[in-house]
Structures are given as C-alpha cells and as structure tokens.
C-alpha cells in the first residue's frame, strides 16, 4: 500500500544558508505548453490565458542542455514540465533520454495528468530513465473528471494504464495526488481515492488547491480556498503573508518557445528574464533582470508590484527551510554590499 505523503518535503536545504546560488536548484523545462485538460482552477481553463501554446523542439532541448553544462554544478532537479501537459509532446521521452545523457541534473522528474499514458508511452517513459513520475489526479470517476476538468475520461482504461505503469516502473518512483476540490463533495471521497490509487502508486496524497493565477475568480470554486492560500498547499501553519517570495532564488524556467523566466506559479504573468536564442542560461541567471527581482523581494517591495502584490505563492512553502523573511536584510547585504 502506498505511503500517504507529500511530494515536496524531502531533504530541503535551508535557502538562507546557500543563496545566492551559482546554479539553480531547479530548472523547469516546458516540454509542452499545450494541455489536454481545462481544470477549473488552472489558467488553461481560460480561453485567453495569453501564453504561447506549442511543443518544445528537440533542437531547443539540445540548446538548453548544452548551455546547462556551463553552470558550476548540476541542478538538483530538472523538471520536464511547467504550465502545459508534457505528454502532449511526442518527443518527451527522447528529451528525457537526452537530459539523462547530458548529466546536468541529479534527478529528472515530470508531473503529468497521466491521461496520455498508455502501455507504449509507459514503456518509453520508464526506459527514458525518468526518476519520478508524479500524476495529478482530478477525480475518482469519469463524472468527477468531467466536472473538474471538462473532459470525458474512460476511467477504467485510465486506471488500467496507471497500473501498468506502476507494475513496470523499475527504478522510477510513481507518485500520485488528487486535487482536494475533486473529492470535497464526496462523503467518502478520500477513502475511495486511497482504495483506488493506494495500490498503484509509491505514495499518494490530497493536494489543496490555492489561488495561483492572478486574474482568475477562485471564490466560485471553493469556500476554503483563501484560507488555503495563507497556509499554502502543505498545511504549514502561517499567520500572515510572507514578504519574500523564495521561488526566483532557486528556480529558473525555459518555456516551450525559448523564453527564460522566473518560474513563478502564476505562469501567464511570469517574470521574463530573456530568451535562450539571444543569451545563455548562465548569463540570464546572473543577469540584472533576475537580480532586480531578488532585490525587490528582499526590500519588501513586492507589495507594490503589479504581478507580485496579490500573489499568495510566497506562503506556499514546503518547510521552514524555504522561508527567507527573517534573513532578508542579511541576504540583501550579500547580494549587494553597497546597499
Ligand atoms: C499546471 S500543472 C502542469 C503539469 C501537468 N499538466 C499536470 O496536470 O500535472 C502542474 C501542477 O500544478 C497543479 N496546480 C495547478 N493549478 C493549481 C492551483 N491553483 N492550486 C494548486 N495546484 C495547482 C496541478 O494540479 C498540477 O499538479
């Protein structure tokens, strides 16, 4: 039976002790920005989310890997997904093989809704050497899927394919989580979730949905959602909004079209640093645009910024190792001694 535990709380490094980082801990590579679902809590459900939709080319992946070798260290993790559904890219498995071969990351993970996994893709994914496959579930039956993400799913088939993936996973860890709103109205929802998925995953959990995309109306989705925002997805008791967003201190994202951004959760409004066709990842990571964003966070000016001022993501921390508020002054001095 799967262990009931979160995905994100393993071996966190205290950020305050290690920043500024010469190498991002986490490089997000958006294999595809297309999505086959329209989950009601995700900006993909909006017709006009304003993000380029397409698959990353193998040529772009090659460029990312070549440039990644210029960082002094390996990334702790390369995450082969971002705003879209990576399995929409038929070359995903090839890209993971390329990344494994380039040896630029300690781990390569994907998060996927899993709906495009059939036996053939399960075999290819496992053969690619991907370390962790995380499946985001949106229901415990086909009606639930239709309600949460607007598509008809052959649920029996879906479970069969996930079971095949799990049974043949080799060294790949298969983890699953369900959105809390998908079982909120079902009296024995969590029990049924555990019964269905507990025997076909290494670990499972229920994830809180939080207001993540700035211009979406979350009040219609769930009454608890703004409470969830303060305490984040990880259930860590917090009383007020954090001043400093930790994300840009350790993450970098390359979008499917080559844009390099901060990897905010609010992808449609993500901070643009540059383009991998015009500059290198190392230059962008050490560049002025990123530094300006870090300084703004440390100086407590995020509450005046149009993108950051209403964002709840700084409270979406994983453990206290992620919190930077108490050390903002100290880190500011390290980043800019003349400040
Ligand atoms: C944007 S999706 C992209 C990857 C892939 N398509 C998937 O479904 O896992 C990445 C993850 O973010 C989660 N997510 C998206 N919007 C969220 C929100 N408002 N609150 C909490 N999690 C959210 C999804 O459930 C998913 O696990």
């Amino acid at each position: 039976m799967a262990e009931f535990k979160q995905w994100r709380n393993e071996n966190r490094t205290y950020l305050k002790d290690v920043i500024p980082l010469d190498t991002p801990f986490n490089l997000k590579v958006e294999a595809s920005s297309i999505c086959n679902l329209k989950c009601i809590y995700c900006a993909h459900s909006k017709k006009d989310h304003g993000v380029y939709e397409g698959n990353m080319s193998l040529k772009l992946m090659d460029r990312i890997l070549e440039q990644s070798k210029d960082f002094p260290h390996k990334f702790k993790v390369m995450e082969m997904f971002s705003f879209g559904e990576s399995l929409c890219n038929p070359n995903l498995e090839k890209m993971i093989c390329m990344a494994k071969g380039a040896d630029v990351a300690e781990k390569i993970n994907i998060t996927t809704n899993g709906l495009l996994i059939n036996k053939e893709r399960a075999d290819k994914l496992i053969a690619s050497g991907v370390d962790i496959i995380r499946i985001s579930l949106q229901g415990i039956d086909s009606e639930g899927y239709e309600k949460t993400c607007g598509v008809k799913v052959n649920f029996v088939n879906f479970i069969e394919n996930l079971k095949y993936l799990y049974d043949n996973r080799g060294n790949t860890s298969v983890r699953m989580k369900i959105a809390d709103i998908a079982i909120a109205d079902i009296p024995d929802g969590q029990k049924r979730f555990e019964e269905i998925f507990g025997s076909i995953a290494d670990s499972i959990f229920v994830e809180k949905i939080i207001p993540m995309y700035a211009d979406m109306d979350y009040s219609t989705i769930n009454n608890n959602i703004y409470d969830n925002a303060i305490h984040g997805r990880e259930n860590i008791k917090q009383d007020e909004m954090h001043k400093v967003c930790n994300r840009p201190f350790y993450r970098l994202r390359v979008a499917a079209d080559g844009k390099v951004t901060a990897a905010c959760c609010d992808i449609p409004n993500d901070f643009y640093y540059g383009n991998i066709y015009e500059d290198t990842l190392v230059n962008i990571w050490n560049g002025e645009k990123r530094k300006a964003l870090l300084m703004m966070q440390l100086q407590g000016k995020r509450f005046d910024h149009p993108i950051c001022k209403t964002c709840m993501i700084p409270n979406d921390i994983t453990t206290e190792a992620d919190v930077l508020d108490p050390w903002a002054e100290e880190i500011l001095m390290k980043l800019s001694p003349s400040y």
Side-chain angles (χ1 to χ4, degrees):
M1 187 70 184
E3 203 181 339
F4 196 90
K5 71 166 190 174
Q6 299 275 7
W7 286 342
R8 305 181 188 86
N9 53 2
E10 289 163 352
N11 306 322
R12 305 291 286 189
T13 300
Y14 272 77
L15 275 182
K16 70 173 174 71
D17 296 335
V18 291
I19 56 179
L21 293 172
D22 58 15
T23 308
F25 277 170
N26 177 323
L27 185 74
K28 286 196 106 146
V29 175
E30 186 173 52
S32 181
S33 54
I34 301 166
C35 195
N36 50 344
L37 299 185
K38 302 275 171 270
C39 299
I40 51 173
Y41 57 83
C42 174
H44 262 292
S45 63
K46 286 175 33 179
K47 269 206 188 87
D48 237 351
H49 54 61
V51 180
Y52 160 84
E53 286 197 73
N55 288 332
M56 182 175 279
S57 67
L58 290 175
K59 226 168 140 189
L60 175 49
M61 183 66 191
D62 197 42
R63 196 178 184 93
I64 294 170
L65 295 172
E66 275 314 304
Q67 293 194 4
S68 296
K69 291 176 187 161
D70 296 337
F71 282 105
H73 299 101
K74 288 188 193 182
F75 310 120
K76 278 184 185 288
V77 60
M78 184 181 282
E79 297 201 296
M80 295 295 301
F81 76 98
S82 181
F83 181 51
E85 170 49 49
S86 295
L87 277 132
C88 289
N89 188 333
N91 286 325
L92 172 69
E93 297 86 344
K94 221 180 260 175
M95 293 163 94
I96 297 172
C97 283
M98 286 162 69
K100 277 274 161 190
D103 196 26
V104 291
E106 287 167 25
K107 275 193 177 149
I108 300 185
N109 301 344
I110 58 163
T111 300
T112 164
N113 59 44
L115 287 165
L116 295 173
I117 295 179
N118 51 25
K119 289 185 178 158
E120 188 194 339
R121 292 211 77 176
D123 288 341
K124 279 193 193 169
L125 274 172
I126 293 156
S128 75
V130 66
D131 292 283
I132 305 175
I133 301 175
R134 301 181 299 199
I135 314 251
S136 316
L137 302 162
Q138 312 299 340
I140 50 171
D141 51 29
S142 40
E143 290 76 35
Y145 263 82
E146 198 159 358
K147 206 170 140 199
T148 310
C149 43
V151 295
K152 286 198 189 304
V153 168
N154 181 333
F155 197 72
V156 175
N157 226 351
F158 179 47
I159 300 297
E160 236 175 64
N161 288 330
L162 294 184
K163 182 175 180 332
Y164 180 86
L165 175 78
Y166 179 71
D167 288 344
N168 294 282
R169 69 196 182 288
N171 294 327
T172 302
S173 169
V174 176
R175 306 178 185 183
M176 300 186 191
K177 57 111 190 191
I178 192 162
D180 60 352
I181 58 165
I183 50 173
D185 299 332
I186 306 172
D188 58 349
Q190 180 158 340
K191 188 166 158 267
R192 280 171 60 197
F193 160 65
E194 290 176 23
E195 279 165 7
I196 300 169
F197 295 99
S199 57
I200 55 170
D202 292 306
S203 67
I204 54 171
F205 77 98
V206 179
E207 177 151 272
K208 286 182 184 179
I209 293 303
I210 56 173
M212 203 179 264
Y213 302 102
D215 50 357
M216 283 185 65
D217 180 8
Y218 283 94
S219 60
T220 55
I221 295 177
N222 175 339
N223 287 336
N224 300 328
I225 209 156
Y226 288 100
D227 265 2
N228 288 355
I230 280 285
H231 301 303
R233 282 179 292 181
E234 316 284 345
N235 252 331
I236 297 165
K237 186 90 184 126
Q238 294 156 88
D239 297 324
E240 52 188 50
M241 283 309 290
H242 288 150
K243 186 177 73 174
V244 184
C245 178
N246 65 27
R247 299 282 206 277
F249 287 86
Y250 70 96
R251 285 190 189 192
L252 193 65
R253 176 176 99 105
V254 187
D257 58 356
K259 280 187 187 142
V260 184
T261 75
C264 287
C265 280
D266 188 6
I267 302 292
N269 293 310
D270 205 351
F271 277 90
Y272 175 72
Y273 293 147
N275 194 306
I276 194 167
Y277 290 112
E278 291 157 10
D279 206 345
T280 67
L281 286 177
V282 169
N283 277 346
I284 293 172
W285 178 252
N286 294 318
E288 287 306 313
K289 286 202 174 146
R290 180 169 163 268
K291 187 169 175 187
L293 175 56
L294 303 188
M295 299 285 283
M296 179 185 85
Q297 298 295 335
L298 296 168
Q299 289 165 337
K301 293 185 181 164
R302 87 167 178 93
F303 297 110
D304 303 324
H305 191 278
I307 295 180
C308 299
K309 69 180 175 192
T310 52
C311 184
M312 304 294 210
I313 294 303
N315 276 40
D316 186 34
I317 56 167
T318 303
T319 68
E320 64 175 57
D322 292 354
V323 178
L324 294 177
D325 284 22
W327 296 277
E329 276 290 315
E330 207 179 297
I331 300 164
L332 197 55
M333 290 301 288
K334 272 201 237 169
L335 225 68
S336 181
S338 57
Y339 166 71

